[in-house]
Amino acid sequence: TPGEQHGLGLLMAECHFALESCVRFVLGTSTPIADIVLAARQLRIDVLALSFSAYASRRDVLENLRQLLDQLPDGTEVWVGGAAASAYSRALPEGVVLMRRPGEVSQQVDAWRQRQTGPV
């Protein structure tokens, strides 16, 4: 999101998504909200993964998430991680999935796949 300059969390999450054979599109750090939304629409993404470092303010985290949730296509899930996301976990908007460790990506991907295919 805008102002977020730390990409290590994104790189770690991307590695876990790769291990789960997920198709990934990396927008990098400090990406404007409008660009994120446009990419989500054009690429028809299922999950938007964001990382908020300890340097992100509570206001920025929550405002950016609300803007994204208001503008993303229906059905697009938002998964967040990073120190700021964890610190403000109680205030995260409804529907945002918090991952406290990059290793939780695998569990979330499995759960997402189960929701898409239904019970076997």
Side-chain angles (χ1 to χ4, degrees):
T1 56
E4 181 61 66
Q5 295 294 324
H6 297 83
L8 183 58
L10 289 173
L11 289 172
M12 289 189 296
E14 183 185 1
C15 290
H16 286 279
F17 280 113
L19 289 170
E20 294 299 322
S21 300
C22 297
V23 176
R24 300 155 322 279
F25 300 98
V26 181
L27 300 179
T29 60
S30 198
T31 306
I33 297 295
D35 291 352
I36 295 171
V37 172
L38 181 62
R41 289 180 187 280
Q42 289 183 344
L43 298 170
R44 296 182 180 149
I45 65 159
D46 298 308
V47 174
L48 173 64
L50 303 166
S51 178
F52 294 99
S53 68
Y55 301 100
S57 72
R58 182 180 195 271
R59 189 191 85 210
D60 286 344
V61 170
L62 300 179
E63 186 175 304
N64 287 327
L65 286 173
R66 284 189 199 104
Q67 287 180 25
L68 284 165
L69 290 170
D70 286 345
Q71 298 177 50
L72 287 170
D74 290 341
T76 302
E77 294 190 19
V78 177
W79 298 359
V80 298
S86 292
Y88 311 129
S89 62
R90 291 184 181 199
L92 294 176
E94 186 177 334
V96 172
V97 175
L98 173 66
M99 289 181 282
R100 296 187 185 274
R101 295 178 313 280
E104 292 178 31
V105 169
S106 295
Q107 296 167 336
Q108 288 300 327
V109 168
D110 285 344
W112 181 86
R113 287 178 173 151
Q114 287 292 330
R115 289 192 302 275
Q116 302 311 304
T117 60
V120 178

